[in-house]
Amino acid sequence: MIYVKTLTIPMFPIKVNVIITDTIKEAVKKYPHLLENFNEVPIEEYEKSFLAYTVKDSIVKSKSVNYKCVHVLFRPKDEELTVGILAHEAVHTAHSIFEYISYDVQSDNDEIMAYLVGWLTDSFLTIINDSPSDRSL
C-alpha cells in the first residue's frame, strides 16, 4: 500500500510529499530518484527500523512547473509510530525548508519554526488518519 498527499507550504515555494507506505522500496518504486538518499547501506538495512524518514529532495519536475520538495515517509501500521515521531519528522522537514530558502533559525526568535513544526505535525496526523491504512493516531 502506498498513499501520497502533497502539502503546499504557505508562504514558501516548497512542497512536501507525505508518503504513507509499508516499505521504503514502495516509495522508491514510485519516486526512483529517492534511492540516492539510501545509498550509505543497503536499503534492506533501512527497512529493518523504518518508522518514518525525511528526505530532502532537490527539484521535482512536474508537467507544468518545477518545484523544490521534501518527502516524508511514514509506516503507519507500526505501533511505535507516535505523535512524537510525527513532530520529530516535522522538525527535519522544517529545517529542510529553511535550508531551501536560506533562512537561519534564530534561537531568540523561533516563532516561525514553532508555527511551521506545529502546522506540519497537524498535517501529518490528518494525512495518516485519512489514509487507507489500518492505523490511526
Side-chain angles (χ1 to χ4, degrees):
M1 185 261 329
I2 188 165
Y3 175 79
V4 180
K5 181 79 175 176
T6 301
L7 298 172
T8 300
I9 306 298
M11 302 183 332
F12 302 121
I14 296 161
K15 297 187 185 285
V16 176
N17 280 338
V18 181
I19 303 168
I20 311 301
T21 182
D22 293 324
T23 67
I24 294 171
K25 285 182 180 179
E26 278 182 324
V28 168
K29 186 175 180 181
K30 184 166 180 70
Y31 300 99
H33 63 282
L34 293 180
L35 186 58
E36 65 194 47
N37 295 281
F38 299 97
N39 59 7
E40 293 177 17
V41 296
I43 201 163
E44 291 78 16
E45 291 300 312
Y46 288 100
E47 295 281 10
K48 288 179 185 177
S49 60
F50 169 58
L51 290 173
Y53 200 84
T54 299
V55 178
K56 187 180 113 185
D57 206 348
S58 52
I59 303 295
V60 172
K61 296 176 179 20
S62 72
K63 295 174 188 168
S64 58
V65 68
N66 297 339
Y67 57 89
K68 293 179 179 178
C69 188
V70 179
H71 299 276
V72 187
L73 289 66
F74 292 105
R75 186 172 69 192
K77 291 184 178 180
D78 200 307
E79 277 76 44
E80 294 179 26
L81 185 63
T82 64
V83 174
I85 291 172
L86 303 186
H88 175 101
E89 296 306 320
V91 170
H92 288 309
T93 303
H95 277 288
S96 294
I97 290 166
F98 292 147
E99 186 177 328
Y100 276 139
I101 64 169
S102 300
Y103 174 76
D104 291 324
V105 177
Q106 306 296 311
S107 61
D108 61 340
N109 185 9
D110 58 359
E111 281 299 301
I112 190 169
M113 172 64 109
Y115 279 117
L116 183 56
V117 168
W119 184 85
L120 288 165
T121 303
D122 287 345
S123 297
F124 295 165
L125 181 62
T126 299
I127 291 167
I128 288 171
N129 286 339
D130 289 348
S131 75
S133 70
D134 296 336
R135 174 118 158 87
S136 61
L137 299 174

